[in-house]
Amino acid sequence: MKKQTRKRTGTPEAKTGKRAGTPEAREWGNWLRRIRKTKLTPLGKTEPSGISQEDLAQRLGVKRSTVSSWEHGDYNPSAESLIRLANHVGYELALE
């Protein structure tokens, strides 16, 4: 028996390469990317030098693709994820 495959059409944004998030979500995502790449400290080190999306996802208990979607502004994190992020980054960084 021949396996049937469905044709993926995708969204207009996917076809043009544009992401569908709001300006606010993209602004928040840019903040998260900047903090992740410059202010967070890798495990076993004492100086902040940035961590990968995979490391941040692991610390927050989410998938790497979720962190990527936040950074690209596709959608905002849940309240639970925001609380975990705030506990991880600290109050001072959250105000930047």
Side-chain angles (χ1 to χ4, degrees):
M1 180 176 228
K2 188 176 179 182
K3 184 178 178 181
Q4 283 189 331
T5 58
R6 293 190 318 190
K7 193 174 188 180
R8 290 185 171 183
T9 57
T11 62
E13 293 83 9
K15 290 179 182 176
T16 62
K18 294 180 182 175
R19 298 208 175 237
T22 64
E24 293 83 11
R26 285 190 293 276
E27 183 180 340
W28 190 89
N30 289 334
W31 172 86
L32 178 60
R33 183 180 304 111
R34 182 174 48 81
I35 294 297
R36 178 184 61 79
K37 287 185 169 186
T38 61
K39 304 287 185 176
L40 296 181
T41 306
L43 294 176
K45 298 203 176 186
T46 56
E47 291 296 316
S49 61
I51 62 173
S52 67
Q53 287 180 343
E54 183 67 38
D55 288 340
L56 181 59
Q58 207 170 33
R59 293 178 189 190
L60 299 178
V62 298
K63 295 180 179 180
R64 186 212 52 84
S65 60
T66 300
V67 173
S68 177
S69 292
W70 293 342
E71 288 186 359
H72 285 98
D74 293 340
Y75 60 89
N76 289 321
S78 67
E80 182 181 331
S81 294
L82 280 173
I83 290 168
R84 278 190 255 138
L85 180 63
N87 288 333
H88 183 71
V89 262
Y91 181 74
E92 296 82 16
L93 290 180
L95 293 177
E96 285 190 6

